[in-house]
């Protein structure tokens, strides 16, 4: 387990929280730990779509919750830690070019919230 990760039991508890609590927890974890987690491999990052066919980048507050949501879907994929400064400086401009929004802490394909890049930046 990474030093900024959490035990599986705690991650399972967090997955059971309602949407509002998962959003709050995500931003608290980002502020406390200075990073967020995405899912992918060395070449690709997981993106999803919503019912309106918007491209979404799912993010999680801890590797373990990302793992519980995705592990076993595709061989070689894993949780990837992104420092918040790197995310803001490098990832947000690319997401803007890709016309993508951010899906906060999805659980069983239900996002806690979907934020535009401007909304995400203002919450950080």
């Amino acid at each position: 387990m990474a030093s900024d990760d959490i035990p599986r039991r705690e991650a399972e508890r967090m997955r059971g929280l309602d949407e509002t609590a998962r959003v709050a927890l995500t931003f608290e974890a980002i502020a406390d730990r200075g990073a967020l987690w995405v899912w992918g491999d060395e070449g690709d990052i997981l993106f999803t779509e919503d019912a309106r066919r918007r491209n979404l980048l799912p993010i999680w507050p801890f590797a373990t919750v990302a793992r519980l949501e995705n592990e076993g879907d595709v061989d070689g994929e894993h949780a990837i830690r992104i420092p918040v400064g790197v995310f803001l400086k490098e990832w947000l401009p690319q997401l803007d070019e890709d016309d993508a929004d951010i899906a906060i802490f999805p659980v069983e394909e239900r996002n806690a919230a979907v934020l535009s890049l401007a909304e995400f930046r203002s919450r950080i």
Side-chain angles (χ1 to χ4, degrees), residues 87-98 117 121:
F87 191 80
L88 293 172
K89 184 178 179 182
E90 297 176 17
W91 286 62
L92 284 187
Q94 184 61 51
L95 291 170
D96 190 35
E97 285 182 27
D98 295 340
L117 303 181
R121 185 183 299 274

Side-chain angles (χ1 to χ4, degrees), residues 2-79:
S3 63
D4 58 351
D5 203 7
I6 57 171
R8 183 180 179 99
R9 176 175 284 159
E10 181 66 7
E12 288 169 347
R13 183 195 66 78
M14 290 175 177
R15 286 173 44 90
L17 296 172
D18 68 19
E19 288 83 3
T20 302
R22 291 197 330 262
V23 170
L25 183 138
T26 298
F27 282 101
E28 288 168 12
I30 290 170
D32 289 346
R33 297 171 185 255
L36 55 92
W37 295 84
V38 297
W39 190 258
D41 61 23
E42 305 317 317
D44 289 313
I45 298 298
L46 172 74
F47 279 82
T48 61
E49 286 185 344
D50 65 7
R52 298 185 332 204
R53 302 192 52 83
R54 287 184 298 182
N55 287 326
L56 303 174
L57 173 67
I59 67 165
W60 290 271
F62 302 100
T64 302
V65 290
R67 223 176 277 116
L68 288 173
E69 184 67 17
N70 297 289
E71 199 165 55
D73 288 349
V74 177
D75 286 343
E77 289 187 344
H78 57 277

Side-chain angles (χ1 to χ4, degrees), residues 91-111:
W91 286 62
L92 284 187
Q94 184 61 51
L95 291 170
D96 190 35
E97 285 182 27
D98 295 340
D99 196 28
D101 291 326
I102 298 174
I104 306 294
F105 198 157
V107 172
E108 297 176 7
E109 300 184 20
R110 290 182 335 240
N111 303 315

